[in-house]
Amino acid sequence: MSFDAKKKHSGRHFCVVGVQWGDEGKGKIVDALSSDFDAVVRYQGGANAGHTVLIGEEEFIFHLVPSGILEGKTCVIGNGVVMDVATFIEELDELKARGLDYEDRIWISERAHLVMPYHRVLDRLQDVGSNGARIGTTLRGIGPCYTDKVARRGIRAGDLVDFARFEALLHENVEHFNRVFRDLHGEKELEVAPILAEYREHADRLRDRICNITDLLWEIDGRGEGILFEGAQGALLDIDLGSYPYVTSSNTSFLGLGPGTGFSPRAVGTVAGITKAYTTRVGEGPFPTELDDDLGEELRRAGSEFGATTGRPRRCGWLDLFALRYAIRFGDIDTLVITKLDVLDGFEKLRIGVGYEGIGDIQGGGGSFPADLERELKPIYIDMPGWTEPTANCRKYEDLPIEAQKYLEFIVNATQCPISILSVGKERSQMIRLDPWLGVSGGLPELPVETKIS
Ligand code: IMP
C-alpha cells in the first residue's frame, strides 16, 4: 500500500499509536505493516502493554518485545520504555521455544529504566491517584518506576553492563524502599542478595543487547531505511494529555516518540491512530459512552474483551468521537485505522457519541475534552442503522454493507481525518487496506438534533 499519496509530512518513517484507552489492536497492525519497514521501535510504557497477534492458529502476546519481531525485523526498545527484564527474557525464551530465535536482532536502550521488584510491591501498595482515587493499574510496577526516573534515583539498563554500579544503586534503593515498606506500610522488607543474583544472570544474558539506540536509529535513517514506531496503550491514557489521574505514567501518544528515542518526530512522515469501531477501557476512570447493560455485555462477548496483560474484563461502550477528535488533534494523527469493525455485525442500531452535554459537540467544532474529570460527562449521541451481513470476509471497501460504509464515512467527516486501514477479524489476512484512503467527503456532519439523547 502506498502511504505517500496523502501524507502531510515528508519523512519516510511511520508511527502507530492508539487513540483511545489502549487495546485498540495495535499489535496486529504493527505486525501487518512491519514487512514494509526495516526496524520496529517501542518508545514508552512497559510490561503493562499486551499486544496480541494471531497468525493462523498461533497466538502471540507481547508485553515488551515489539510485535515486528515476527517478521524478523531489527527491534528496538527505546529509552522511554520501562524494562521489566524478567518478563522480557521470558518473552525471548518463549519465542525461541516456538522456533523464532531473533534475540540478536533486539536492541535495548542503555537509558531505559528498569522496573525492579520493589516497584511492583509499591504499585500494589499505592494504587491511588489524586483525591485517593483508585486507578486500577496493571500492577506491573510502571508508575513507581517512572516516579524513580523523574526522582533521579532510577536504575537503567546501562547499569547492568557496569554491574558494580548496578549493585551500588540496588543497595541504595532497597534500603530506601525498605524504610518506606516498614515505616509506612508495615510491609515485609526485601533482601538484596536474591535480587542481585537474579539480575546478575539477566545482565549476562542481555549485556550485548544494550546500546545507544539513538545512534542506532540515526544510523538506520542514514542508510535510507524505514522505521516503524509503535506506541503502547492509547492517547487518552497519556500522562500529560489523557484522562488524568486515570492514566498510565508515560506519554502514550505520538508526543512520546521524541523523548522516548532521541530520534526526530519530524522525520516521521505518517502517524496512524488506531481505534476500535467502538470503545473499551480497563481500569478505573471516566468513560462517558460506557454501556453498563446487556448491550455492553454483548460487545464484550462479541469482541472477546478481556485484557491481554491482566485478563480483566474490559468495560465496553459506543464510539466516542468527541474524545477521538481530541486525541487526533493533540496526537497529530494523519490517518485512522479502524479495528474490530466485525464486532458490530448484527447490532440493529448503532450509536456514536458526538459530544458531551454542556461542553460541546463535534459539529460546533468547539468544546474541549475536559481536564477536570470529577464531574459526570453526559454524552450526546446520534443513532445509525446497523448491518446484519458479516464483514469478516470483506477484503474491499465496496464489499462492506452500505450501513457500515456510512458508519465509516461519518467517522471520517466528523473527525476530518481519513481512514487508511480497516480490520475485520483477528487474523493477519482479515484486513482491508484502502488505497486511496477513505477521505473527507464533506464538512462536519449535520447533527440531527431530534435524535440527541441525554
Ligand atoms: P499502569 O500503566 O499499570 O500504571 O495502569 C494505569 C492505567 O492504565 C490503568 O487504568 C490500566 O488499566 C491502564 N493501562 C495500562 N496499560 C494498558 C494497556 O496496555 N491497555 C489498556 N489499559 C492499560
Side-chain angles (χ1 to χ4, degrees), residues 39-115:
V40 182
V41 184
R42 266 281 301 267
Y43 59 81
Q44 45 69 232
N48 49 350
H51 293 167
T52 309
V53 183
L54 189 74
I55 301 172
E57 294 293 293
E58 278 214 81
E59 185 173 71
F60 296 85
I61 298 181
F62 299 110
H63 299 287
L64 276 162
V65 173
S67 319
I69 195 77
L70 295 174
E71 287 281 333
K73 300 293 172 174
T74 298
C75 283
V76 179
I77 309 277
N79 52 276
V81 172
V82 286
M83 273 293 284
D84 183 328
V85 284
T87 303
F88 184 69
I89 287 171
E90 268 172 36
E91 275 176 42
L92 294 180
D93 285 344
E94 196 188 328
L95 279 166
K96 203 181 267 185
R98 294 166 82 170
L100 297 166
D101 188 2
Y102 292 148
E103 195 158 328
D104 59 351
R105 297 179 200 186
I106 296 187
W107 298 99
I108 303 162
S109 168
E110 59 195 350
R111 292 183 166 83
H113 281 248
L114 301 183
V115 177

Side-chain angles (χ1 to χ4, degrees), residues 21-23 48-50 123 135-140 142-143 233 237 246-249 281-284 309 312:
W21 279 289
D23 307 318
N48 49 350
D123 210 355
I135 307 298
T137 75
T138 60
L139 301 176
R140 297 295 189 273
I142 305 299
Q233 290 89 39
L237 287 173
Y246 304 95
V247 290
T248 187
S249 301
R281 171 164 206 167
V282 274
E284 306 301 317
T309 300
R312 289 182 287 179

